[in-house]
Amino acid sequence: MGDLYEGIPKHKEPWVAGRRGSICPPGVDGVALFKDSVVDPKRPGKRYATDGENAYCAHSSNVSTPSGGFYWHGFPYEWRRIPAAIQRQWISEGKITRYRT
Amino acid sequence: MTVTWTALAGDTSSFAIELSFITDPESHHYDADERESWGSITLWVNGINVTEHLEQGEPLRAAHWYLLPTIGWFAANWDPLFHEERLPLKNAASDAATAMTRLLVQPLRLVRTDLDEFERLDAWQSWWARHNIVDSVEGGIFPDLYIRRWGDLSEISVGAATTPGTPSHFRYQNVDVVGRLPAKFVATAIYDVIQRATEELARRRPDSTRISSLLQDIHDLMDVDGLRYTKRLAYLSGVNAESSQDVENFVDLWSRVDEILGTELDATAREIAIGSLRGGLVLETAPQVALLFGSYNPTLNDNDMQVLLRNLHNVLREPRPAEFPTIKTPALPRLSPGQEGSQLGEAAYSELADREAGYVDIQAILTRLGITHSMDVLSDTNTRAVSLITQEYGIHILVNRNYVRGTTEPVLRFTLAHELGHILFDRSRSLRMAVVSGPWAPLAIEQRANAFAAAFLMPEELLERLSKQMSIPIWHKKAAVQVAARLRVSLSSLADRMYNLMLVTREEANNIVYGNR
């Protein structure tokens, strides 16, 4: 598809007051999570993934890659915002055992 | 960081919003339109800055992130933000922030509806996305702030939910804030700021189709042609107007409203009942039929509609009753709804009741005030009664014959007193009132009306007098039965009242109702 995952400083340490968002936990493998992510059925510019414990969202930067896809970046996400349809799918795939909020 | 543009609208002592654009020197792949909108948002509710927070011990007055999606969120969700009051699934608390949190804490699978647990989660998420500003922020850390309609007002409530990945040194200072302000005032402030901000972005990025399209969307919020009227009316009536099928059903229902109300009403009465086509940023005053439907159970059936509209029709042909007496109440800040209702009930007893009598003659008091009442069958057994209140015409209480606790004399008297509480004290919620006393009415208002009724029918003065006349203490069941009979209230109401006045313990109250000593 040509899409590329590339983390951005807004979600990384070091903290800069007034310039940061939610911070990804150390050691999180953004590229692997992105590969395993699911597209939001209602908002195609968003994808979701889980490591079984935490939920993550990837957001399209809307900037084209040389191969015609888009750059994406990700950040930790609220379970309560992971669409119910995706949580149902993850339960059937054994990624989580019950829906989370 | 350099602030390159800023705009403030509203009044910081009640509700205000400020947007600023700030240079962001960090370089990374990011949408160019959004990058241009990097900046801050500051929101004041009840004069409290709810975006004020600490980062590494340093106080910051505003939340920072890309503002274009937030501006777009306001524009896209404008109609539900300013017209939808009904919470998803269940009326779980008095304000949206508390209710939405409570619905998640009490597992959604336990909520009684015909939806499965994923459908319930979906309903919760859809409502949340329409009303919580965090939905506009992907990766940023915004306060847990909800905006919804509340009568003729906008309710802004701030909860304590946090974003995952928020560092421990980052903390919003002002949570659990609830403000209710005129809907038009809040809408005008937000409109003013988002319009000016988008014009500034359009000036900076004249070739952006996303920004020019957003500018048009914001312009359309004025609804000059009234094209948004039906959807707004549907939201006010408790319909999920995101569903085109539900809107279609609503349009059908509304056309029958017109038929049922008939042609006998004068123009003013029709305006009160169903409103008229008009645009503007927001429907400031809800038509009374929308208020009725919006606070009734979502399972409203055809018979219910007929009953409600027939009664409304009658009210709108009655003359305006005499002026209400002004009930003087002590100004005690920060009371719970129950405590407030109790204070109001005692004050109303002093002003309205015959204090020489041995009980409160609620029917005579209603007659004196020009308030009529009748009894009819509504399908929702949890609905106690409906109060129809207009400034220009009559005031009427419709008692539900089908109410789960029946309509025996003590229950009926309590119901009438409960409705009198609404009529006397809840008119600030909206210019036109249609209070359905049931599970979909605002919880704090219901709690207050219940406490009002208890204090009005069982004031301390009467309880003390009767207590002295008893040969055995009032917390003995035998004495309580006699007191309840004298006051013409149910034993359970008396037990609750005595418990709330701390005359009996919870155990003693239970014994009065269920025990035999």
Side-chain angles (χ1 to χ4, degrees):
Chain A
M1 57 181 174
D3 287 343
L4 279 178
Y5 181 84
E6 189 181 80
I8 64 170
K10 292 273 182 264
H11 302 291
K12 293 176 185 168
E13 297 284 7
W15 186 263
V16 184
R19 290 240 193 99
R20 290 289 177 268
S22 54
I23 299 296
C24 289
V28 66
D29 187 346
V31 175
L33 284 167
F34 182 66
K35 271 187 187 163
D36 198 33
S37 63
V38 187
V39 180
D40 186 323
K42 292 176 187 165
R43 305 181 197 192
K46 291 170 72 173
R47 303 177 68 97
Y48 306 103
T50 180
D51 53 14
E53 184 60 35
N54 300 306
Y56 297 91
C57 175
H59 187 66
S60 168
S61 69
N62 209 23
V63 177
S64 298
T65 65
S67 53
F70 289 104
Y71 287 101
W72 292 69
H73 66 273
F75 38 85
Y77 212 58
E78 298 93 333
W79 274 107
R80 62 179 183 273
R81 294 175 73 183
I82 301 289
I86 290 176
Q87 295 216 36
R88 191 195 288 263
Q89 178 186 333
W90 285 351
I91 290 172
S92 69
E93 292 169 355
K95 288 181 177 171
I96 52 176
T97 53
R98 55 174 298 251
Y99 79 85
R100 310 272 294 270
T101 55
Chain B
M1 291 193 294
T2 308
V3 175
T4 57
W5 179 91
T6 194
L8 167 75
D11 177 350
T12 54
S13 68
S14 55
F15 174 83
I17 176 169
E18 181 182 70
L19 297 182
S20 300
F21 294 136
I22 300 170
T23 51
D24 180 19
E26 286 177 333
S27 173
H28 50 264
H29 292 122
Y30 212 89
D31 180 284
D33 291 335
E34 291 189 17
R35 178 189 285 276
E36 192 66 49
S37 74
W38 176 263
S40 68
I41 179 169
T42 314
L43 288 157
W44 290 264
V45 179
N46 289 352
I48 299 167
N49 179 345
V50 294
T51 42
E52 188 177 319
H53 65 281
L54 288 177
E55 291 186 29
Q56 294 177 314
E58 180 191 345
L60 273 75
R61 64 190 284 274
H64 295 76
W65 203 245
Y66 303 100
L67 297 181
L68 184 59
T70 299
I71 296 168
W73 177 83
F74 276 119
N77 293 291
W78 191 265
D79 291 338
L81 282 171
F82 292 105
H83 301 89
E84 185 178 35
E85 174 171 346
R86 176 168 282 171
L87 294 159
L89 304 167
K90 193 179 176 188
N91 194 22
S94 293
D95 63 272
T98 309
M100 292 298 275
T101 304
R102 197 169 282 175
L103 279 168
L104 282 186
V105 173
Q106 294 170 338
L108 286 170
R109 62 183 178 279
L110 300 182
V111 178
R112 283 165 55 185
T113 73
D114 55 353
L115 306 173
D116 75 23
E117 60 184 346
F118 292 100
E119 289 168 328
R120 286 172 209 161
L121 179 58
D122 187 55
W124 186 95
Q125 289 175 329
S126 300
W127 201 95
W128 182 90
R130 292 197 292 276
H131 295 273
N132 193 311
I133 196 171
V134 175
D135 184 64
S136 72
V137 191
E138 296 300 349
I141 306 173
F142 269 24
D144 180 30
L145 183 141
Y146 292 83
I147 303 175
R148 69 159 177 166
R149 182 84 174 206
W150 198 85
D152 284 349
L153 308 176
S154 274
E155 176 192 273
I156 303 118
S157 55
V158 185
T162 54
T163 303
T166 302
S168 56
H169 59 72
F170 188 115
R171 193 174 69 247
Y172 278 105
Q173 302 283 74
N174 299 309
V175 297
D176 298 329
V177 175
V178 181
R180 293 185 177 120
L181 299 136
K184 190 176 179 187
F185 173 69
V186 176
T188 303
I190 294 175
Y191 178 85
D192 181 25
V193 160
I194 64 173
Q195 186 193 35
R196 286 153 68 193
T198 311
E199 281 170 353
E200 172 62 14
L201 290 174
R203 188 188 66 75
R204 295 181 184 191
R205 292 189 52 77
D207 297 331
S208 165
T209 52
R210 178 177 174 186
I211 293 171
S212 59
S213 166
L214 177 58
L215 205 50
Q216 183 59 48
D217 290 346
I218 292 171
H219 175 77
D220 290 346
L221 300 177
M222 287 301 292
D223 196 29
V224 176
D225 303 320
L227 298 173
R228 306 168 84 105
Y229 180 74
T230 301
K231 202 171 177 183
R232 290 175 175 182
L233 200 54
Y235 276 126
L236 285 173
S237 304
V239 173
N240 174 13
E242 297 307 297
S243 157
S244 51
Q245 182 61 54
D246 287 1
V247 173
E248 223 170 273
N249 294 343
F250 170 75
V251 170
D252 180 47
L253 182 102
W254 200 259
S255 65
R256 281 156 54 221
V257 167
D258 215 22
E259 278 170 33
I260 296 168
L261 285 175
T263 53
E264 296 164 30
L265 298 179
D266 63 39
T268 311
R270 289 190 76 78
E271 166 61 26
I272 290 169
I274 57 176
S276 59
L277 186 68
R278 53 169 176 244
L281 279 180
V282 66
L283 294 182
E284 262 183 281
T285 302
Q288 205 156 24
V289 174
L291 290 171
L292 263 179
F293 292 172
S295 54
Y296 192 73
N297 192 307
T299 58
L300 173 89
N301 67 26
D302 199 64
N303 180 64
D304 295 333
M305 187 171 81
Q306 300 268 359
V307 169
L308 293 171
L309 295 183
R310 193 169 60 237
N311 278 277
L312 178 60
H313 182 268
N314 292 341
V315 169
L316 293 173
R317 297 177 70 201
E318 284 173 12
R320 185 170 185 244
E323 283 296 320
F324 282 113
T326 305
I327 310 293
K328 296 183 198 76
T329 53
L332 297 172
R334 299 189 69 82
L335 290 179
S336 70
Q339 290 166 327
E340 201 174 283
S342 190
Q343 294 282 335
L344 296 173
E346 291 281 355
Y349 168 77
S350 299
E351 295 274 339
L352 300 176
D354 173 4
R355 293 167 72 177
E356 300 305 313
Y359 76 104
V360 176
D361 189 346
I362 179 70
Q363 308 244 19
I365 291 168
L366 292 178
T367 303
R368 205 168 71 233
L369 294 175
I371 301 168
T372 55
H373 62 94
S374 64
M375 212 179 272
D376 219 321
V377 174
L378 293 166
S379 66
D380 180 16
T381 57
N382 288 309
T383 292
R384 179 189 279 277
V386 178
S387 281
L388 297 161
I389 308 158
T390 60
Q391 292 200 329
E392 303 87 343
Y393 297 91
I395 296 180
H396 186 76
I397 299 169
L398 164 64
V399 177
N400 183 11
R401 199 186 289 279
N402 211 13
Y403 179 46
V404 67
R405 296 181 68 182
T407 51
T408 57
E409 192 203 6
V411 176
L412 178 61
R413 283 169 44 76
F414 196 91
T415 296
L416 294 175
H418 175 108
E419 297 307 310
L420 178 62
H422 285 315
I423 292 165
L424 288 175
F425 298 109
D426 292 335
R427 280 175 291 169
S428 60
R429 187 171 129 83
S430 64
L431 189 62
R432 297 154 189 168
M433 284 288 289
V435 185
V436 179
S437 296
W440 287 93
L443 285 187
I445 281 186
E446 282 304 284
Q447 287 162 1
R448 192 168 72 165
N450 276 335
F452 171 88
F456 187 65
L457 297 176
M458 297 168 274
E460 290 176 35
E461 182 181 294
L462 270 182
L463 284 174
E464 195 180 344
R465 196 191 309 163
L466 288 169
S467 166
K468 284 180 182 161
Q469 292 169 10
M470 294 291 125
S471 56
I472 48 174
I474 197 171
W475 53 84
H476 284 227
K477 178 159 187 158
K478 199 173 164 189
V481 168
Q482 288 180 48
V483 170
R486 297 257 196 104
L487 294 175
R488 306 188 188 192
V489 298
S490 70
L491 199 53
S492 59
S493 295
L494 177 66
D496 281 345
R497 173 71 175 148
M498 291 200 295
Y499 172 70
N500 288 330
L501 288 173
M502 292 188 278
L503 291 173
V504 296
T505 64
R506 178 41 75 194
E507 285 305 312
E508 286 167 336
N510 287 342
N511 180 61
I512 287 171
V513 181
Y514 306 111
N516 50 19
R517 286 191 294 161

